[in-house]
Structures are given as structure tokens and as C-alpha cells.
Amino acid sequence: MDEKYFAKKIEAKWQKKWAESGAFAASEDGSKPKYYQLEMLPYPSGNLHMGHVRNYSVGDAVAWFKRLKGFNVLHPIGWDSFGQPAEDAAVKRGVNPRDWTEENIVSMRGQLQRLGLSYDWSREIAAHRPEYYKWDQWFFLKMFEMGLAYKRKTQVNWCEHDQATLSNEQASGGLCWRCGNPVTKKELEQWFLKTTAYADQLLDDMAAIESGWPAHVIKRQRDWIGRSEGAFVDFKVKDSEEKVRVFTTRIDTIYGANAIVAAAEHPLISANKAEFSTEVNAKIDEIITERNKPTDRETEIEKDGIDTGLKAINPFSGEELPIWVGNYVMMEYGTGAVMSVPAHDERDFEFAKKFELPIRQVISEPHLAHEHHTMHALALEVPFTDKGVLVHSDFWNGKTSEDAKSEMTKHAAVHGFGEAATTYRLRDWGVSRQRFWGSPIPIVYCDACGTVPVPIEELPVELPENAPITGTGESPLAKVSEFFNTKCPKCSGPATRETDTMDTFVDSSWYFFRYLDPNNAEKPFDNTKAAYWTPVDQYIGGDDHAVMHLIYARFWSKVMRDIGLVEFDEPVHRLLTQGMVVGETFYDDSTGKRKYFSQVDVTIERDEKGKIISATGTDGTVLKHAIERMSKSKGNGVDPDEMVEIYGADATRLFVLFAAPVDNELVWHEAGIEGAVRFLQRVWRFVFKWRDTLRSATRDAGTEELTPAAKKLLQKTHQTIKRVEDALDTLQFNTPVAAMMELTNSLYEAQIEPEAATGSEKAAVHESVNALITMLTPFAPHTAEELFSAIHGSDEGMIVGGAKFPVYRSELAASDEIEIAVQINGKLRSRISAPAGAANAELERLAMADPKIVEHISDQTVVKVVVVPNRLVNIVVR
RNA sequence: GCCGGAGUGGCGAAAUUGGUAUACGCACCAGACUCAAAAUCUGGCGGGGGCAACCCCAUGUCGGUUCGAGUCCGACCUCCGGCACCA
């Protein structure tokens, strides 16, 4: 056994031992409580980045902590291995996407293993393998059967740069989520999954998980689903049998309507195009063209529109209203038409101002309502969007907005021109991709039978070996005739296969259930295994997946529940989103050009405080210092492999956990990681100094009286146990490291030497060191294992050896004497020492007797004394 | 524009949830060891004043509540995220 800390050697040793002993292999075991620790699975790009290291270090700390606390822990990992980069590689370098992906998995698996992450590798899965994607197809067919998967013609979001269709989520803000280029529109037949069927459940079930999820994720999901309660109202079109239906949340404002504004794509508009003037049609076309242009989210689009000449009748007032086309009304939301009430809506107000339409106030602030009865409509300077009391609304005058809403909705329903309605922002999930590297959609098209699902026995529909991948946007599968041409499962006549593949978010919507039963050939997973392990106890990943992935995964679970695979509503009880890892970048200040330097190439000059005065490159250029997201192009990325090679996996992981709270951004500072190494070495040196003594010493001091040093050390030890345990329970990883550093400092400061120690001191050091090592395991497992074996004289490892998290004993953590702060008028003036648990009167007496206090209050009157037991005495004087 | 979150040393950050602000680490300074350097160890390290014991000021700004406020309340400033014509 080496007495010098040599990370590489012990890390390789323990990684081997863990693998050989199957230390992290999980199985259903009713004798222990289960714990499912999950981290978001990586895309196999070929290289781990520091964001992965942070995500997985945090997850591993939780997994180890729960293991040491006696849980049966499942901690799996796999690969989100379908997706575009594999096709890009195929286009650029002519490689086979499968080979490229498999090679990347091999290299990244090696990286994860060198970090010593405690995964159950026997459960590893990869989405691109037929054994996995077979079940994507199985689920698709189930949803098809249930009417949850359907096909329709639609405008899709199209990224010209990536030559790919994108979901609404992926095209959020008019920019491609992957490459950031503008998104355009294209018309295609697409498969959809009916997420909207679960909109209410997705929204309402959040109440049950709210306490375990970050507030910002809950909020974003609520916004995303965007439920809105209101009413549909039908307006008759004058001189026609047609009606135009609007959605409104403010039916109470209907007497203030001055127009109906429809989307340019509205069916009523298309149907009447022949009737419109050329000017009107030109404007309609212009609006459609403008809308299909890439949207720039910085500039607000100016309101535009035109009066079509059509008229509608307000069913409440009987008033005739012009029907306009407006660029601010979207066909995709509500009914594609609105009643414009400029007095009480910002957008309608702006529109009315621009086109000089009448603005009529029909809602008043309650205290002004009476005046309005006698006055004519007045022009508002700004729209009044609050609720209030109805005015200029005939029969409804004087009613509150709330009452009017429900009564007017009922009125509309009774008279057959409206009904209560709920709309959602959430859209159905378009899953079709004109791509090769994804799960084929298991559908066959037959001239005789139409759209036919592939029978479940015939799954998987496998991807062909060779397909021409050109990146041009047509599905490569259409060009592989042995795939494309097939027989109809129903009539055996000639048929063709669906050539689109599924969005990769399908794979990640249910992967964490496949870990439970990765080799099942009959079903996606066994119900009883799922019942044992799920829901996931703790899920950890980046908050870039706060909406898409986490809404799809929740949707998928609800579908699985309805199929009878699981029995719960929500798959994830607790969610943690870790912050980004950012790097330092040094720009060339004189040219501002793209000349970047890594930290090692830079000479930094600081003032006596340590503040950076200037930074200079090795070639003498003056550099500007910036903290930015790590990326290859900025040259500020850090290679995890390099860190592990230089400092070791333990130090790398320890630093990542210690450097910042887990949900904060983490600035990578190479000097910081050296601090982590120093700490580990400090622990190491102490343990080896004591190794031989500890091996023969007992942790039980027996009846021997504790020396003051031993007592103090035990106090610090048990205080630390509590701090570390509480922190880990609440998912804090920086403060427990600080606590362990303090304990290490205390071990040195105790100045107990192995040769001179008494029996009780040896026992105290033994207990302290043992606790420290065990608590260190979630943060630096290799070092902890090596030190544990050093003092126990056994190489079997903590898992096999049944190591447990140290047990906190409050009676040992408490000290007899406590320092009490003494304040005068809230200002700290002195500190006194008092017995723990001393009575308030006693504390007051001691404080008043303190010489410093006596001097301070000598010429003043004591008005009041506040005593906080075990904490402070505050003397109020005048 | 709307909705969130956050402002504490040179830096990353702590603070028992209203009770001794700045723990722990990084950087920096000094000392010990050394021929020397590295490593390690010891000490210092918010600002100002004083020989000193000590005193004054300080948690973005201004006010409030309280015996006592980084923490609670009100207004404002700044930064970071999210959403953006959702009717």
C-alpha cells in the first residue's frame, strides 16, 4: 500500500474492484427501502463535457449517500443515441451513423468509468438498438390504437440549416433549438401524439409533485400548457348562413366589441376570397407571407390588417360589426378569430388606434360606475384591462365582471350562440421526422386498406443497413426500396412503409422505465419491476429540459398508466436542475478579434488584494477577461479527461461539488481544483500517520474518562455528521465539503499524536477518522475506499464490507460550555462563557457582571434585558 | 412589455431561517523548513481610526417593523433567466 496520495493508481484499483464485485448492481430486494437515482442520459457525441461531469457527480453523490444510509439504490445510465449529429457525421465524413454512434459510446463509457461513477452497467441501454426502439414502436402502436397517434397535414417548422422539421418546442422563439438559425414553415403530412388530451392532467397533477420540483420548472410547465378559461361566442355573418366563432376570456366586455378580427388563414376568409377586393386579397397574402418569414423576437411586429367588407352581428346587442383580417390573430390558437374590444384589451386598443376604429368603454371601476350610466362612452387614453362593473351593456349594467362572465356565458349557451370553453397553448406533439437516424414509425400504406399499423409480432421495424444520407431533407428511408416496398399486413397486397422516423424525444420519454428490465423481450418492462422501483425518487439534469423532455416524459407516464403498465400519475417525485458550467475566456483587447487564450497561456497581473489588473498573452497581447458558457469556438472548454489525468477523478468531482451551490452557475477555475487535491492529500496524510495505531485501536473508549482534546474532537465529529447529513438530505453539496474540511482542520489542531495518545484519544481519533472517511465517499469515493481499507486492514470495499453512514449522537455533539454574545442595544459588546442550558436569569446575571458590560452601562439605565437561551443576552439601555 | 430569481470581501461562497456577518476554499502577503525552489507547516487577510485595550462604518440604494434585520415589509436601482401578439 502506497503512503503517498497517487490518484491514478487508487482510482484504477477501485474501479476494477467495484466492477469485479458487482458493487453497484441492483436487484429488487424487499428487505431494504428502494431508491431510484436517475440522471439525464447523455447524447453520445463522443466527448464528455464538464456539464456532464457536474450532472453525474451530483447524482453519484446522492446514490452513494443513499447506499450508505441503507437504501437499495438503483443508479443506471444509458445513451440517447438517436439524433442528428450521427447523420451530420454521415453526410460530412461518409461514416455509417451506427458505427459512429457505437464508437462514441465506447469512448464516452470509458470516460464515465474513469470518473468512477457508481452505475449499474448491467442495465445500460442505447436508444438506437432494435431491442430498445422496438418498444418506441410498440408504444406508438398502442397510442395509434387508443386514438392518441394520428396523422394530419400541417405546416411544420422547418430549419433550412439543419434540413429538419422541428416541434413547436424545438422551434421556440422562431429559432432552431439546435443551431439557433431562423425557422421557416413547410407543409407536410405529419404524425402527432395527442398530448392535448392530457393537458388538464399535466397541469393539475403538478400540485402533487410541486414540493419536490424547482419552482421555475413548475412555472414554465404551467406557462407552456397555458390553460385559459373563457367562452366561445358565435357571430352570424350578415347576408349569409355562415357564422364566425370567437374565443374570449372576457365575454363581459362584449358590448364594447367594435369588430371581429380573423386570422388571415381563417376558413371564413379563404372561403370568401372571391368576394374581396384586390386590395383586401393583397393584404391577406401579405400577412400570410410575413407570418411565414422567420420571426425576429427582438422587434415587436406592428399591427396590420384590413376591413374585408364582411359584417357580423353581435348576438348580445344585435349591433353590426365589420369583419377585419388582422396580423395579430393566430389561426393556431383559440378559434382563429377574436372579438376586438379596444377599450379593454391592449392589442385591440393598439389596432383600433391605428385604424381609427371606435373605442367604447363598457367596464368601469366600481366607484365610477354610476357616472357612466349617465354619460356617453368616453375615449380612453389607455385600455382598462382590469375587471370591474359593466356599463353601457343594456340589461347587464351594474353587474360585476365575474358575475357577468358566468351569466352571459349561460345566456349564450341557452340561446345557442355560445358555450363555456377552455383553450390551451399546448399543442399536440408532432413526432414525424424526415430523418434516417431514429425509430421508424411502424405504419404501412396500402392502396386497398389505407393506413395500416404494423402488427406487434412484426416489430421491430428495423432500420436498413445502408441508406443514402444526403442531408437534403427527404427521408432517406424512401430511397431504400427493400425497406420502402413491403406487403400490406392486412391484404398482403403491395404496400409502402412510412418513411419518417420518430422525434428523439420519444426515446427519452420512457427510457428510465427500460432500465428496470432492460432485456425484456416480451414487453417494454415488467409491471412488478416497475412497481418496485418507480416512481423515480430523484432526477437530476439541466434545466434546458424543463419543458420539452419533462412534459413528454410526464405525458408518456400517463399513457402507460392508462395502458396498465404503471399505477401512478407522476413518474418523478423530486427533480433537481443543476446550473451551467462556465469558463474563463481571454479576448484580444486591441483587435477584439477572435483570438482566444486558455488560462495556461495567460499571465495575470493582480493588485495586492488579488484583483485582476491586467492579463497578457504569451505573445504580449493585452487580453480582456470574460466569463462565458464553455464552448469549442470560444476555446474556454475544459476536457474532463485531462482533469482526471492531471488531478484525478476524485479531486475533479470534489471541486465540482464544492465550488458552488448545485443550482448556481459554476465558474471553472483550475486553481480551485488544486485546492480539492490539497484537501484530499491532507486527509490522506492524517490517516496514514495514524494507520497502524488505528488498526489496533478500538472505537470504544470504554469507561476511561475523555481528555479535553478527545471530547472536543468528538464534539466536532458529531456536529459535522449532522451538518453533512442534513446538507445531503436537502441536496446541498458545497456546504458538507466545507464541514468536512473543518473537521480535518480540527483533527490536525487537536494535536494528538499516535505515540502519545491516551486510550480515549485513540478511540476519539478512530471514530472521527472513520466518520470522515465514510462521509467523504459520496464526494471522493476512490480516496475514501482506499483510506477505509487502510484503517480496517481489508480490501473488500465499503459496499461488500457493509459500511454505513456514521450515526449522529447529539449527546456527543453538545458542549458543556457555550459562548454567549452580549449585546447592548443590539450591538455586540462582549462575549461570555456559560454552561450549556443555563437558565435565562443566570445568563443575565453573568452578562451584567461582565467587566466590559459594567463599564459600558455604568452611567445608563437598563430598560430591558432580552435573553436568547444558549445564544445571546441583549441589554437595552437608555 | 409581462412573469420569475438574485445582488454579502479581490474571487467562488457561508450564516442554525429574526439572534455573535464574512465559516470553508481560491487568490494574495509574511514567517518557518531548505543552499535554493517546489511541497508542507504557522500566521495575516472587509473598510477606516488608535501605541493599545478598543471604537466607528459595512450584506445594491432609501425608508419601515423589531430589544435585535443579510434574513421580514414598502419603494427604487442593477444584473441574470423565462415568455412574448395566447384573445
Side-chain angles (χ1 to χ4, degrees):
Chain A
M1 191 174 301
D2 215 324
E3 295 204 7
K4 199 155 182 292
Y5 181 66
F6 188 41
K8 249 178 127 170
K9 191 170 172 182
I10 59 165
E11 287 174 3
K13 169 184 164 184
W14 286 101
Q15 284 162 19
K16 191 158 168 259
K17 276 195 179 294
W18 290 330
E20 283 168 1
S21 67
F24 311 126
S27 61
E28 295 77 22
D29 171 2
S31 70
K32 287 180 181 176
K34 71 93 186 177
Y35 198 89
Y36 188 176
Q37 167 55 45
L38 179 71
E39 293 113 57
M40 291 183 187
L41 83 178
Y43 177 80
S45 62
N47 290 98
L48 224 54
H49 53 73
M50 286 319 293
H52 290 125
V53 174
R54 191 175 198 193
N55 192 168
Y56 303 142
S57 297
V58 172
D60 209 49
V62 175
W64 265 110
F65 175 57
K66 292 294 174 182
R67 259 179 224 124
L68 292 170
K69 290 292 288 179
F71 285 84
N72 184 30
V73 173
L74 173 61
H75 189 213
I77 192 74
W79 307 97
D80 188 16
S81 45
F82 267 141
Q84 203 177 332
E87 278 185 69
D88 292 345
V91 173
K92 272 189 218 147
R93 284 174 273 155
V95 296
N96 179 311
R98 183 176 289 106
D99 297 343
W100 183 84
T101 302
E102 289 289 353
E103 279 166 28
N104 285 348
I105 288 176
V106 169
S107 91
M108 286 177 77
R109 187 193 293 128
Q111 288 185 297
L112 291 176
Q113 285 171 339
R114 285 193 291 283
L115 279 164
L117 298 161
S118 64
Y119 292 123
D120 179 353
W121 286 101
S122 71
R123 293 170 184 265
E124 182 184 0
I125 57 167
H128 74 286
R129 298 191 185 135
E131 313 87 83
Y132 184 87
Y133 70 71
K134 173 181 179 178
W135 303 107
D136 287 342
Q137 297 172 344
W138 186 90
F139 279 117
F140 185 91
L141 292 174
K142 287 283 172 190
M143 291 196 208
F144 182 75
E145 228 170 81
M146 296 160 81
L148 291 173
Y150 66 95
K151 197 176 194 190
R152 78 170 140 89
K153 195 160 201 174
T154 178
Q155 286 223 325
V156 295
N157 298 299
W158 178 254
C159 175
E160 198 60 40
H161 175 268
D162 287 348
Q163 290 287 305
T165 52
L166 305 168
S167 69
N168 284 327
E169 286 86 344
Q170 291 164 351
S172 172
L175 300 175
C176 174
W177 73 295
R178 190 182 291 109
C179 67
N181 284 301
V183 174
T184 55
K185 303 273 180 178
K186 194 175 171 179
E187 189 135 290
L188 277 178
E189 282 266 312
Q190 295 277 285
W191 283 96
F192 284 86
L193 299 183
K194 218 169 192 168
T195 44
T196 54
Y198 289 84
D200 281 322
Q201 288 180 44
L202 287 169
L203 200 57
D204 297 337
D205 290 350
M206 264 192 277
I209 50 170
E210 203 168 357
S211 62
W213 282 45
H216 73 277
V217 176
I218 294 282
K219 191 194 165 314
R220 282 180 63 186
Q221 294 213 356
R222 289 215 166 103
D223 288 351
W224 197 262
I225 295 162
R227 181 161 66 193
S228 175
E229 320 255 2
F232 289 139
V233 182
D234 296 324
F235 288 66
K236 271 195 183 128
V237 179
K238 195 189 170 195
D239 303 326
S240 157
E241 292 304 301
E242 289 174 286
K243 284 178 198 164
V244 56
R245 169 166 275 209
V246 303
F247 174 71
T248 178
T249 56
R250 292 299 302 274
I251 194 172
D252 57 310
T253 66
I254 198 164
Y255 282 82
N258 66 347
I260 296 296
V261 184
E265 301 86 351
H266 196 281
L268 179 76
I269 303 302
S270 331
N272 287 285
K273 275 199 123 176
E275 318 290 319
F276 299 153
S277 69
T278 47
E279 192 200 347
V280 170
N281 280 324
K283 180 59 80 178
I284 291 169
D285 292 342
E286 184 194 324
I287 290 173
I288 293 174
T289 315
E290 281 298 312
R291 209 201 293 287
N292 288 342
K293 275 191 187 168
T295 42
D296 173 8
R297 59 202 334 270
E298 296 307 314
T299 52
E300 200 179 314
I301 300 155
E302 203 193 327
K303 299 271 180 300
D304 198 5
I306 195 161
D307 186 345
T308 62
L310 296 171
K311 305 285 182 199
I313 309 297
N314 183 333
F316 276 83
S317 65
E319 189 184 2
E320 199 172 282
L321 301 174
I323 299 180
W324 284 63
V325 166
N327 67 343
Y328 71 102
V329 180
M330 302 180 300
M331 196 55 225
E332 303 83 52
Y333 184 77
T335 63
V338 301
M339 60 179 204
S340 168
V341 186
H344 305 294
D345 182 278
E346 303 263 1
R347 294 149 302 171
D348 296 340
F349 185 83
E350 203 187 311
F351 193 69
K353 279 280 179 196
K354 173 157 180 182
F355 294 105
E356 297 178 336
L357 301 174
I359 298 171
R360 243 173 334 175
Q361 184 172 2
V362 294
I363 305 290
S364 165
E365 287 180 64
H367 65 282
L368 296 173
H370 181 72
E371 285 175 48
H372 278 289
H373 280 292
T374 58
M375 282 166 59
H376 271 295
L378 61 153
L380 289 164
E381 290 301 315
V382 287
F384 177 70
T385 57
D386 290 349
K387 287 166 190 166
V389 171
L390 275 68
V391 294
H392 303 121
S393 300
D394 289 349
F395 169 76
W396 311 91
N397 282 343
K399 291 197 184 288
T400 63
S401 289
E402 285 307 323
D403 290 347
K405 271 189 197 179
S406 66
E407 290 174 30
M408 290 170 100
T409 304
K410 264 184 218 140
H411 176 84
V414 167
H415 291 85
F417 58 78
E419 61 187 293
T422 304
T423 61
Y424 301 88
R425 213 185 88 128
L426 183 76
R427 309 288 153 76
D428 284 338
W429 175 14
V431 292
S432 293
R433 295 291 179 274
Q434 292 68 54
R435 286 274 154 200
F436 170 73
W437 199 229
S439 312
I441 294 174
I443 292 288
V444 165
Y445 300 107
C446 166
D447 285 341
C449 312
T451 301
V452 183
V454 173
I456 282 181
E457 316 80 70
E458 288 178 25
L459 297 182
V461 176
E462 283 204 48
L463 284 172
E465 265 309 313
N466 293 300
I469 300 169
T470 58
T472 54
E474 289 153 359
S475 179
L477 294 176
K479 294 173 194 145
V480 183
S481 77
E482 59 273 31
F483 176 89
F484 183 58
N485 295 305
T486 184
K487 273 195 294 187
C488 171
K490 259 192 193 165
C491 69
S492 297
T496 59
R497 284 190 193 280
E498 168 66 62
T499 57
D500 281 353
T501 53
M502 297 182 211
D503 182 2
T504 58
F505 277 88
V506 167
D507 308 306
S508 56
S509 290
W510 68 280
Y511 73 99
F512 47 99
F513 289 92
R514 186 65 182 173
Y515 286 140
L516 315 180
D517 200 7
N519 301 314
N520 197 325
E522 307 300 317
K523 302 165 74 177
F525 53 88
D526 179 67
N527 292 36
T528 53
K529 288 181 176 173
Y532 177 80
W533 288 114
T534 53
V536 171
D537 292 281
Q538 180 69 59
Y539 195 18
I540 305 174
D543 63 5
D544 41 339
H545 291 114
V547 266
M548 301 193 257
H549 164 58
L550 287 167
I551 281 192
Y552 297 149
R554 294 179 59 223
F555 161 75
W556 212 274
S557 281
K558 290 172 196 303
V559 173
M560 291 196 297
R561 177 201 60 199
D562 292 349
I563 295 172
L565 281 170
V566 299
E567 288 180 358
F568 47 78
D569 298 323
E570 288 294 333
V572 174
H573 273 174
R574 289 212 299 178
L575 174 72
L576 176 68
T577 52
Q578 92 273 0
M580 264 193 329
V581 180
V582 296
E584 263 185 327
T585 312
F586 293 92
Y587 290 91
D588 184 328
D589 198 29
S590 59
T591 62
K593 284 197 84 181
R594 294 175 52 85
K595 189 173 184 182
Y596 304 110
F597 295 78
S598 70
Q599 277 171 320
V600 287
D601 299 327
V602 176
T603 311
I604 295 169
E605 204 187 321
R606 296 167 189 273
D607 63 15
E608 73 280 1
K609 294 264 176 59
K611 190 178 185 175
I612 295 176
I613 300 169
S614 70
T616 320
T618 41
D619 57 358
T621 34
V622 178
L623 303 173
K624 206 173 137 192
H625 177 244
I627 303 285
E628 293 172 327
R629 181 171 200 153
M630 281 187 179
S631 77
K632 273 195 191 124
S633 65
K634 294 204 172 91
N636 61 351
V638 176
D639 178 15
D641 265 346
E642 201 183 307
M643 294 301 110
V644 170
E645 182 67 26
I646 300 170
Y647 304 104
D650 279 352
T652 305
R653 293 171 54 173
L654 185 74
F655 169 65
V656 161
L657 292 166
F658 174 61
V662 66
D663 42 4
N664 278 23
E665 199 174 75
L666 168 60
V667 183
W668 189 264
H669 271 131
E670 197 123 353
I673 196 169
E674 287 170 18
V677 176
R678 271 201 285 271
F679 168 59
L680 291 174
Q681 286 176 334
R682 216 163 128 76
V683 176
W684 183 275
R685 273 196 305 273
F686 189 88
V687 173
F688 273 93
K689 186 169 107 182
W690 276 84
R691 179 184 60 182
D692 297 336
T693 311
L694 293 180
R695 275 200 193 169
S696 53
T698 159
R699 279 170 65 188
D700 185 0
T703 53
E704 186 188 314
E705 181 139 2
L706 294 172
T707 63
K711 193 166 185 174
K712 206 172 155 197
L713 184 57
L714 284 176
Q715 272 167 17
K716 187 70 182 174
T717 301
H718 282 272
Q719 286 163 2
T720 306
I721 292 169
K722 176 126 181 72
R723 281 174 71 189
V724 172
E725 184 163 9
D726 287 353
L728 287 174
D729 272 332
T730 55
L731 301 173
Q732 289 176 271
F733 305 91
N734 54 334
T735 50
V737 177
M740 289 186 285
M741 286 172 169
E742 283 184 46
L743 178 58
T744 306
N745 292 344
S746 295
L747 281 166
Y748 279 97
E749 283 157 16
Q751 295 191 349
I752 304 170
E753 296 304 322
E755 311 77 42
T758 68
S760 77
E761 285 172 343
K762 283 181 187 167
V765 171
H766 197 292
E767 180 160 344
S768 187
V769 165
N770 195 70
L772 176 62
I773 291 169
T774 316
M775 290 189 290
L776 191 59
T777 315
F779 303 86
H782 310 88
T783 307
E785 284 274 27
E786 185 65 22
L787 295 177
F788 192 84
S789 78
I791 61 168
H792 288 86
S794 153
D795 254 5
E796 60 184 355
M798 288 201 208
I799 297 294
V800 177
K804 289 273 175 288
F805 199 84
V807 176
Y808 169 65
R809 289 171 62 191
S810 57
E811 74 277 13
L812 291 177
S815 46
D816 309 336
E817 287 282 311
I818 290 179
E819 194 182 60
I820 303 287
V822 184
Q823 301 179 330
I824 294 172
N825 289 348
K827 277 199 164 125
L828 181 69
R829 290 300 177 199
S830 184
R831 295 184 171 96
I832 57 174
S833 179
N840 287 5
E842 174 68 2
L843 289 177
E844 183 174 338
R845 193 189 60 76
L846 287 168
M848 299 300 278
D850 183 72
K852 284 184 203 157
I853 297 303
V854 170
E855 191 184 332
H856 263 102
I857 62 176
S858 56
D859 56 345
Q860 287 172 299
T861 318
V862 175
V863 180
K864 187 179 174 183
V865 179
V866 180
V867 181
V868 183
N870 291 332
R871 215 134 277 252
L872 62 73
V873 176
N874 187 17
I875 302 158
V876 186
V877 298
R878 202 166 8 121

